[in-house]
Amino acid sequence: MNISDPIADMLTRVRNASRARHAEVVVPASRTKREIARILKDEGYIQDFRVEPGEDTPYDTLVVELKYGRSRERVITDLKRVSKPGRRVYARKDRLPRVLGGMGIAVLSTSNGLITARSAEEQGVGGEVVCFVW
């Protein structure tokens, strides 16, 4: 299956699994998806993630373990892909996005790799706005 936007596919799978209250999500692995999962873990939106070698597929898979509250309330309310293949969205270092007044995170692709908007502000860099998470 040929997917034109694999990052949007990953975000959609995580969103759907979270709404269905699944324990984990399996997506085809890539370096960018691994970095997005690392940021989600560092920010406390997911429990953990791991990369497993493909048994019956030629590619590795990324397994994302979702996180829920005490009474199974979702930690991830929503994920939104901002910069798409048809329309790239960039943010300068002095105009970085804020998600829900600082309650969510914005993931940026910068020259320093994938980082949150808060880290980009500290480092004084801008970049492509990959997604919003809240």
Side-chain angles (χ1 to χ4, degrees), residues 16 20 22 46 73 77 80-82 87 93 104 116 120 127:
N16 290 344
H22 288 281
I46 62 172
E73 67 267 4
T77 305
K80 181 182 178 190
R81 178 77 157 119
V82 178
R87 180 169 187 238
K93 66 179 182 178
T116 62

Side-chain angles (χ1 to χ4, degrees), residues 33-102:
K33 293 177 194 176
R34 239 185 320 238
E35 286 299 305
I36 291 173
R38 180 191 56 80
I39 289 173
L40 291 176
K41 181 181 177 188
D42 291 345
E43 295 292 322
Y45 286 102
I46 62 172
Q47 194 97 29
D48 201 7
F49 70 95
R50 64 186 182 279
V51 178
E52 295 180 348
E55 296 161 4
D56 56 344
T57 58
Y59 51 84
D60 294 345
T61 56
L62 177 69
V63 180
V64 178
E65 297 175 17
L66 299 176
K67 187 176 182 181
Y68 298 99
R70 291 180 189 254
S71 58
R72 295 287 288 171
E73 67 267 4
R74 294 187 299 268
V75 173
I76 296 176
T77 305
D78 205 2
L79 298 108
K80 181 182 178 190
R81 178 77 157 119
V82 178
S83 186
K84 302 173 183 172
R87 180 169 187 238
R88 299 293 183 187
V89 177
Y90 298 94
R92 294 183 359 196
K93 66 179 182 178
D94 56 341
R95 298 199 39 103
L96 294 171
R98 289 177 55 92
V99 181
L100 293 180

